[in-house]
Amino acid sequence: MFANINPSIDVRLLRTTYLLLTERNVSRVAVLLGHSQPTVSACLKKAREIFADPLLVRAGQRLVLTERGEEIKTLIGSVLLGLSDALNGQDHFDPRLSSQNIRIAVLNCFGVFLVPEIAKRIRHNAPNVTLDFFPPGDNPDLLEELGAGRVDVVIGNWPAPQQSLKSTALFQCDIACITHSDHPLAAGDAISLDAYLAASHISPTASSSAGFSPIDGRLAQLGLKRNIAMSVPEYAMIPPIVGGTDLIFTTARAYAEHMVANTPDQHLQVIDAPSEFDRMHLYLLWHERNHTSIAHKWLRRIIRDVAKEFEFSLHEPTLSPVRPSLNQLPI
């Protein structure tokens, strides 16, 4: 099976080649490894012979990867990561060597706060991974996707986490409603449950998928159902629709205040949701297959840390999306 593997390939050559393809600078790799530049250049020459490709080519004043070089970088990254896990009994993970694809399902209403910071930290610590953020929506195969490894984690705010999945609570926050400032219910500070059920609502979740909604799921627990007069695929559509209709939008208070503050032209108003809703809970969910993975633990730790900081910010007078400043971005 392994008879065709070139005997000249060893771990040191793979690591040096990987760093060269990542850093694209012979001098910097020499400093990182504590080697001389001629030694590193000799490794590059050897790698070019083994893989029958230049790997790095000159483009003006800098080096760029060839198409084959991109493929080799991804391949070597996976090999080194696998060796590291095997040799260390999976008690060590170097995110810098990881080139995996990370897929995170995250609710849009919290994505505006969490995704920028999660993305910044992952890119800073693991610059070679690819990140896919997408809304879980009403995907009925989400459990299967997690089990098959096609989704890594879900950040969800269902009334209760799926019992068949591993989960941890990230934080909880109040629920609020948004109406046009001229709406009859906007005159009060809060909406009663009876008035809420009698009103017409807009939701990012279709009524056929109520189990995925923290609002409709909670009402279902109470044996009740609201009138969803309209569902939309994007949260960005909601402010102008609520601003021009009698519809009510229910969401996390943090997001409600953010939406109203960022769409002043729509004349929206935040009012308290019925007290029967209690609070909205946000969970991190993952499959048993990834529970002991050191790389997956690293990912979950980053998400928990970001969520903890966001929960702390909920107590600040003004809440805005967490955005990295220019001087915080990795060079």
Side-chain angles (χ1 to χ4, degrees):
M1 179 178 178
F2 302 109
N4 294 325
I5 293 180
N6 192 316
S8 300
I9 298 178
D10 58 30
V11 174
R12 284 177 297 180
L13 175 65
L14 290 178
R15 185 162 186 262
T16 302
T17 302
Y18 182 79
L19 287 174
L20 280 166
L21 298 179
T22 302
E23 301 291 336
R24 307 177 192 189
N25 186 295
V26 173
S27 300
R28 189 152 57 236
V29 172
V31 172
L32 288 172
L33 295 177
H35 297 333
S36 66
Q37 288 191 37
T39 299
V40 174
S41 296
C43 284
L44 177 57
K45 180 181 179 181
K46 189 174 183 179
R48 284 169 167 166
E49 293 173 352
I50 290 172
F51 295 109
D53 188 87
L55 302 179
L56 284 168
V57 295
R58 184 71 61 181
Q61 299 299 312
R62 60 194 183 95
L63 291 173
V64 297
L65 272 65
T66 64
E67 184 176 329
R68 175 68 169 156
E70 292 281 3
E71 297 173 356
I72 294 299
K73 186 183 80 167
T74 300
L75 176 62
I76 294 178
S78 298
V79 170
L80 291 175
L81 183 61
L83 284 172
S84 177
D85 284 348
L87 294 174
N88 291 284
Q90 291 199 342
D91 62 355
H92 174 74
F93 170 66
D94 186 352
R96 185 179 177 80
L97 296 178
S98 177
S99 58
Q100 67 189 101
N101 174 244
I102 297 175
R103 286 178 50 78
I104 301 174
V106 58
L107 268 294
N108 278 342
C109 67
F110 289 107
V112 68
F113 304 112
L114 303 182
V115 168
E117 187 65 20
I118 292 171
K120 185 189 78 171
R121 297 191 189 188
I122 292 178
R123 288 292 299 168
H124 180 74
N125 291 285
N128 298 302
V129 306
T130 56
L131 278 169
D132 292 330
F133 292 101
F134 64 97
D138 56 358
N139 183 358
D141 299 322
L142 201 53
L143 180 60
E144 179 183 337
E145 294 285 293
L146 284 164
R150 291 187 290 269
V151 176
D152 292 289
V153 292
V154 177
I155 300 174
N157 60 351
W158 301 304
Q162 296 269 356
Q163 294 300 310
S164 57
L165 295 173
K166 295 287 186 181
S167 66
T168 185
L170 293 177
F171 60 81
Q172 54 182 287
C173 62
D174 293 332
I175 297 175
C177 297
I178 301 175
T179 68
H180 188 275
S181 57
D182 291 335
H183 194 289
L185 293 176
D189 295 328
I191 303 177
S192 69
L193 183 59
D194 287 342
Y196 185 87
L197 295 175
S200 297
H201 301 266
I202 183 172
S203 173
T205 306
S207 57
S208 60
S209 305
F212 287 88
S213 165
I215 309 304
D216 299 293
R218 173 57 179 158
L219 288 173
Q221 291 175 343
L222 298 173
L224 301 171
K225 185 178 181 181
R226 62 177 173 165
N227 172 33
I228 299 179
M230 186 183 302
S231 62
V232 292
E234 296 289 341
Y235 278 71
M237 298 178 182
I238 293 175
I241 293 176
V242 173
T245 68
D246 63 338
L247 299 178
I248 294 174
F249 176 53
T250 311
T251 187
R253 173 170 284 280
Y255 187 69
E257 293 175 348
H258 165 78
M259 180 178 285
V260 171
N262 283 275
T263 55
D265 57 318
Q266 300 300 331
H267 306 290
L268 305 178
Q269 183 168 327
V270 178
I271 50 180
D272 292 340
S275 59
E276 287 83 355
F277 280 137
D278 195 14
R279 308 192 81 198
M280 184 179 292
H281 297 258
L282 194 71
Y283 304 96
L284 178 65
L285 304 102
W286 64 96
H287 197 273
E288 175 72 32
R289 72 189 297 275
N290 294 319
H291 186 61
T292 61
S293 165
I294 191 67
H296 206 270
K297 289 179 180 178
W298 168 82
L299 172 63
R300 300 197 303 261
R301 183 169 61 250
I302 284 181
I303 295 173
R304 285 197 304 269
D305 288 346
V306 170
K308 187 180 299 182
E309 292 171 15
F310 172 71
E311 182 178 29
F312 178 78
S313 74
L314 291 175
H315 303 290
E316 297 177 359
T318 302
L319 182 69
S320 60
V322 182
R323 301 180 186 274
S325 62
L326 289 178
N327 60 359
Q328 290 176 312
L329 292 174
I331 303 301

